[in-house]
Amino acid sequence: MFTLNCNGRPMAIDEPLVMGVVNITDDSFYAGSRYAAGKAAVDAALQMLSDGAAIIDVGAQSTRPQSRLQPAAHELETVIPFIAALTAAKPDAVISIDTFYADVAYRAVKAGASMVNDVSAGNMDADMIAAVAELKVPFIAMHMKGTPQTMQQLSHYNHLPAEIMDYFIEVIEKCTAAGVNDVVLDPGFGFAKTTAQNFELLRGLSSFKMLGKPLLAGVSRKSMIYKTLSVSPEEALNGTTVLHTMALLNGANILRVHDVKPAVECIKLVSAYNRTSDRKLHDFLF
């Protein structure tokens, strides 16, 4: 079990949690996750919370391959009103700010966000880890090489799991030295990784549990699903649920998803399965 200090509010992770994605951008890879700023985005977040999401992850920067880089000012003018509106509508909502800009992270938390989700783990803004330490909120650190604009050319690894493990060890050391107490590790499915490497990473997800940090899996509707199945992201929900099941069985503590209700149901079923010991199964069968 893990406990995260979400801006003064403890969040226990005794069973896996769902993080619902709200992308306030028209550049996200999956059309169903794109929301216009204002009431539409807030209503979507409220529905996710009603469906069982424990966290809302909001961002205004697409990080799909070859995405358009947006300045921090654009993120601020988009996410701060959303955070204020959602907090007003649902004061107990746990909001994660998805950004690699330290200034955006700082202002978002001051506006009501409770954690920071950085796809670069502090590597795209040298001030990020210090900002998170000052804010005293959890830091979701994702593995990526390069930037979203260059990462697809950087998918060569001599030993994928070992290199990501070393990356996380270094990130944890930096966070500890800076005073960041709560770190969540995201192996970065789809970021500087081929489809085959993504499946290798999913199979070996449990190896990162030795680092003693919660693990986040973000596979929802990604290319490892829709390319393998020769479908579109819009047709990838069934495949997403299959991979969510695999991620949970391999130790994921948080699922970052576009479709909250199916993910909540997946967690309930896998948790029921995990509670059945070998002895109970033997008694049931014999």
Side-chain angles (χ1 to χ4, degrees), residues 212-272:
K213 304 294 183 183
L215 299 178
L216 183 150
V219 298
S220 181
R221 295 183 183 267
K222 285 189 173 178
S223 63
M224 66 185 292
I225 299 168
Y226 64 77
K227 287 184 178 180
T228 300
L229 299 177
S230 298
V231 298
S232 67
E234 287 70 27
E235 299 169 299
L237 177 56
N238 186 58
T240 294
T241 301
V242 173
L243 294 201
H244 279 163
T245 303
M246 295 177 183
L248 293 168
L249 291 173
N250 282 312
N253 302 107
I254 302 172
L255 298 180
R256 184 179 183 273
V257 312
H258 302 101
D259 310 277
V260 169
K261 189 174 181 180
V264 169
E265 291 176 348
C266 185
I267 287 172
K268 288 180 179 178
L269 291 170
V270 172
S271 295

Side-chain angles (χ1 to χ4, degrees), residues 31-223:
S33 70
R34 303 171 194 157
Y35 298 98
K39 187 174 185 298
V42 174
D43 286 348
L46 289 172
Q47 184 61 55
M48 290 179 181
L49 292 168
S50 177
D51 287 341
I55 307 164
I56 297 296
D57 189 45
V58 61
Q61 178 98 232
S62 173
T63 52
R64 65 170 179 80
Q66 310 301 321
S67 56
R68 302 187 303 268
L69 180 64
Q70 299 288 351
H74 168 77
E75 290 192 15
L76 285 169
E77 69 184 19
T78 303
V79 300
I80 299 301
F82 168 87
I83 292 169
L86 181 57
T87 300
K90 186 76 171 173
D92 61 345
V94 176
I95 304 170
S96 165
I97 175 64
D98 183 356
T99 185
F100 44 73
Y101 293 121
D103 188 48
V104 175
Y106 188 87
R107 296 195 193 188
V109 171
K110 292 301 181 182
S114 302
M115 61 179 67
V116 176
N117 181 12
D118 182 358
V119 296
S120 78
N123 288 315
M124 291 180 68
D125 188 332
D127 294 327
M128 177 61 88
I129 292 177
V132 175
E134 180 181 343
L135 292 164
K136 300 187 185 304
V137 295
F139 185 49
I140 302 172
M142 196 190 79
H143 173 269
M144 177 178 67
K145 295 201 297 185
T147 69
Q149 291 72 38
T150 64
M151 62 185 179
Q152 295 309 95
Q153 288 75 51
L154 300 173
S155 59
H156 173 75
Y157 300 86
N158 292 318
H159 193 286
L160 177 72
E163 290 180 43
I164 296 177
M165 185 75 74
D166 289 343
Y167 177 95
F168 281 148
I169 290 171
E170 183 177 345
V171 168
I172 292 169
E173 289 176 348
K174 287 180 181 178
C175 288
T176 301
V180 178
N181 296 319
D182 294 327
V183 180
V184 178
L185 304 178
D186 177 353
F189 292 99
F191 288 79
K193 299 167 189 76
T194 65
T195 296
Q197 288 167 342
N198 285 322
F199 280 102
E200 179 184 357
L201 190 56
L202 181 60
R203 177 179 286 273
L205 186 63
S206 62
S207 64
F208 300 112
K209 293 179 74 65
M210 70 176 65
L211 296 174
K213 304 294 183 183
L215 299 178
L216 183 150
V219 298
S220 181
R221 295 183 183 267
K222 285 189 173 178
S223 63

